[in-house]
Amino acid sequence: MAGETHRPGIPATKAPGLSQKVFNCPSCGGGIILRALGQSVSVACRSCGSVIDATNDNYQIISKASEQLTIEPLIPLGRRGKLHGVLWEVIGFMVRCDGPGIYCWREYLLFNPMRGFRWLMEFDGHWNYIVMIKETPTTDIARKGREAGIYMGKTYFLFHKGIAKVSYVMGEFYWRVKVNEEVEVEDYILPPEILSSETSGAEVTWSMGEYLEPDSVRLAFQVITPMPVPIGIAPNQPSPVSLHSPKIVKNWKAFIVIVLLFQMLNIIRFKNERAYSQSFVFQPQDVAKTQVSPPFELKYGTTNVEFTLHSPVQNTWVEVQIDLINDSNGKTIEFEKGIEFYSGRDFDGSWSEGHQTASILLSSVPAGTYHLNVEIAGPASPQSTPIHVLVKRDVLTWSNFFWTIILISVYPLIVWWRSRSFELGRWVQSDFSAYHHHQEGE
Amino acid sequence: MKNKHSLYASFGIITCIVFFYASMTGWAVWDSIQTKKWGPRGHSLVHK
């Protein structure tokens, strides 16, 4: 896997005002431009690929290219572009691959006489802007069950360990670069940053990379040729739906607390008062006969009314139609409710279906004096059936509370799911994924 | 993303206000929907 930026430590930048120098390749005679004169240690001839010592005017050949050059960098050597407010010039280009040579990535060495060297790295269309760092991060520690590194107080999780091998070079470099030289690499990520180490013998160098949108590279260096289309998710590509930094979790928590507090207040506030109760009897010959209750009072302004109907039906049913009539203005709220209960035994044992009690909640009923008109229907049967009606006023309800919780949680859940899917896509490329552990453990 | 978060914040505030209003007026949203739209009109288990 790539995403790596591995090269020796950068020498201290010398005084500004450096000029270019042109000389002929001692191998093929082709013209070579030294752009970071006094800074570059080696330079690769773009005609023959030979790497030449650039530390003195002898221009000795360090290594010769074994095959014909065919790779043309997307950003040509000598191209200048402004990144993070600084004008950089591309002076070197190299291709590195992992140990087996399956994954290869491209690195551009940038130079500014005042700022020194930086790197641009491209892998699968994803770009990183890389700065070498002098401090050594703390590694070999565990955070949340994963190997991690700490740098500048921030925790970076290990994403990749492997080999990086130089497969192609062009232009100049600040060390004696050689094709096929290998280093051990480690990458730790905290999107959009990637902390990378390169180990060669006893020397360990660290760099810090920052994910760049391809368009920012294209615009900075006026790249005319089509940019490679990003494939997959880069190790340090920032999630477009990250839950870590946005205010969404904070907002969601605030809403939950407010709703919880208000529902607790409701528990205390609601009266849950028994306003009226009466038993009615259904006689089969009384079908369509209206039974009228005496008037009763509903108090407490405009609030709800709960009707609880109970009938000891057994393998039968009754249907109750109730009109709640306001005696002062005649306004009527009507509803129907069925009560049915069946039970018996079969091969599987005893069974039952339905209930002998049913309830219904009427919303926003104004205070006043009311009476009930009750019509009961049932099957033709010689038996009479009692129905008990209980009316409660100002009843605490939970449906509003739960619906509010659901509604305010839908968007955070979608964001969480999308964020998790993105992270799964990122870490599926890593041998150090916490998600792998979970899946294996499941 | 920022706009979506603002939209979410607005939606959450409106939802909380509706919850407050419903609590204060005894308006049970879900029960009202059940009663008005899909409230039992007869019974599913019994053939008259």
Side-chain angles (χ1 to χ4, degrees), chain A residues 270-286:
Chain A
F270 276 91
K271 309 288 190 302
N272 207 31
E273 185 186 83
R274 188 187 181 109
Y276 174 72
S277 73
Q278 184 181 337
S279 285
F280 298 87
V281 177
F282 168 64
Q283 305 282 2
Q285 66 273 21
D286 290 346

Side-chain angles (χ1 to χ4, degrees), chain A residues 110-398:
Chain A
L110 309 179
F111 179 69
N112 175 289
M114 297 291 289
R115 303 296 185 97
F117 297 97
R118 300 289 186 273
W119 289 89
L120 264 184
M121 190 279 290
E122 181 269 317
F123 172 71
D124 271 356
H126 298 281
W127 293 81
N128 274 303
Y129 173 78
I130 293 149
V131 183
M132 308 304 287
I133 56 173
K134 289 175 183 168
E135 304 85 355
T136 302
T138 309
T139 53
D140 296 329
I141 58 167
R143 287 282 187 278
K144 299 176 184 174
R146 287 190 280 173
E147 286 184 63
I150 292 181
Y151 177 66
M152 304 289 276
K154 292 193 278 190
T155 302
Y156 297 75
F157 290 103
L158 180 63
F159 191 88
H160 169 73
K161 275 184 186 179
I163 298 290
K165 188 160 83 173
V166 177
S167 69
Y168 178 79
V169 290
M170 178 191 288
E172 55 201 277
F173 299 89
Y174 52 78
W175 79 99
R176 293 177 193 277
V177 63
K178 285 179 187 169
V179 172
N180 291 329
E181 75 179 9
E182 286 187 0
V183 288
E184 291 173 17
V185 295
E186 287 184 10
D187 291 322
Y188 298 81
I189 63 161
L190 179 64
E193 294 176 346
I194 185 166
L195 187 63
S196 302
S197 74
E198 171 190 325
T199 305
S200 178
E203 187 188 12
V204 182
T205 55
W206 286 89
S207 64
M208 172 62 72
E210 178 197 352
Y211 188 84
L212 288 180
E213 290 299 329
D215 250 13
S216 62
V217 177
R218 183 179 62 80
L219 291 170
F221 289 93
Q222 303 101 46
V223 180
I224 300 164
T225 50
M227 299 285 280
V229 177
I231 298 168
I233 299 168
N236 60 328
Q237 186 176 346
S239 168
V241 284
S242 175
L243 265 178
H244 302 299
S245 56
K247 296 176 182 173
I248 182 166
V249 171
K250 198 175 155 190
N251 288 346
W252 178 77
K253 283 179 181 170
F255 292 142
I256 293 291
V257 168
I258 291 167
V259 172
L260 270 172
L261 286 174
F262 201 77
Q263 185 66 0
M264 285 169 72
L265 185 68
N266 284 341
I267 291 170
I268 300 165
R269 197 173 61 81
F270 276 91
K271 309 288 190 302
N272 207 31
E273 185 186 83
R274 188 187 181 109
Y276 174 72
S277 73
Q278 184 181 337
S279 285
F280 298 87
V281 177
F282 168 64
Q283 305 282 2
Q285 66 273 21
D286 290 346
V287 171
K289 181 182 171 185
T290 302
Q291 302 180 54
V292 182
S293 78
F296 57 90
E297 200 73 28
L298 293 180
K299 295 185 265 185
Y300 313 121
T302 299
T303 184
N304 60 33
V305 180
E306 184 187 64
F307 285 78
T308 305
L309 313 176
H310 176 78
S311 180
V313 288
Q314 187 67 44
N315 291 326
T316 185
W317 59 274
V318 289
E319 186 171 309
V320 185
Q321 181 179 322
I322 296 179
D323 295 346
L324 175 66
I325 302 161
N326 189 323
D327 287 348
S328 60
N329 57 22
K331 281 190 176 174
T332 303
I333 302 169
E334 57 183 73
F335 63 90
E336 288 177 354
K337 198 74 185 172
I339 303 171
E340 52 199 339
F341 182 75
Y342 300 88
S343 65
R345 289 187 69 83
D346 60 14
F347 295 119
D348 295 329
S350 59
W351 59 270
S352 67
E353 196 168 358
H355 298 281
Q356 294 178 328
T357 302
S359 65
I360 189 161
L361 191 78
L362 303 181
S363 292
S364 305
V365 178
T369 304
Y370 289 81
H371 73 270
L372 303 179
N373 285 356
V374 181
E375 280 183 33
I376 306 167
S381 158
Q383 293 177 330
S384 61
T385 310
I387 294 116
H388 185 75
V389 178
L390 171 64
V391 182
K392 277 187 171 179
R393 180 65 163 162
D394 203 31
V395 177
L396 173 70
T397 56
W398 286 92

Side-chain angles (χ1 to χ4, degrees), chain A residues 420 423-425 427-428 433-442:
Chain A
R420 182 182 159 79
E423 291 304 322
L424 280 170
W427 283 97
V428 76
S433 170
Y435 298 100
H436 289 175
H437 291 305
H438 287 159
Q439 283 164 4
E440 284 164 9
E442 283 170 4

Side-chain angles (χ1 to χ4, degrees), chain A residues 269 317 319 340 342 363 400 408, chain B residues 8 23 27-28 32 42-43 46:
Chain A
R269 197 173 61 81
W317 59 274
E319 186 171 309
E340 52 199 339
Y342 300 88
S363 292
N400 288 344
I408 59 179
Chain B
Y8 171 67
S23 297
W27 180 37
S32 295
H43 23 76
V46 177

Side-chain angles (χ1 to χ4, degrees), chain A residues 402-420:
Chain A
F402 287 120
W403 276 107
T404 305
I405 296 286
I406 289 167
L407 284 174
I408 59 179
S409 302
V410 166
Y411 179 64
L413 280 171
I414 291 170
V415 171
W416 172 83
W417 182 80
R418 288 182 61 197
S419 174
R420 182 182 159 79

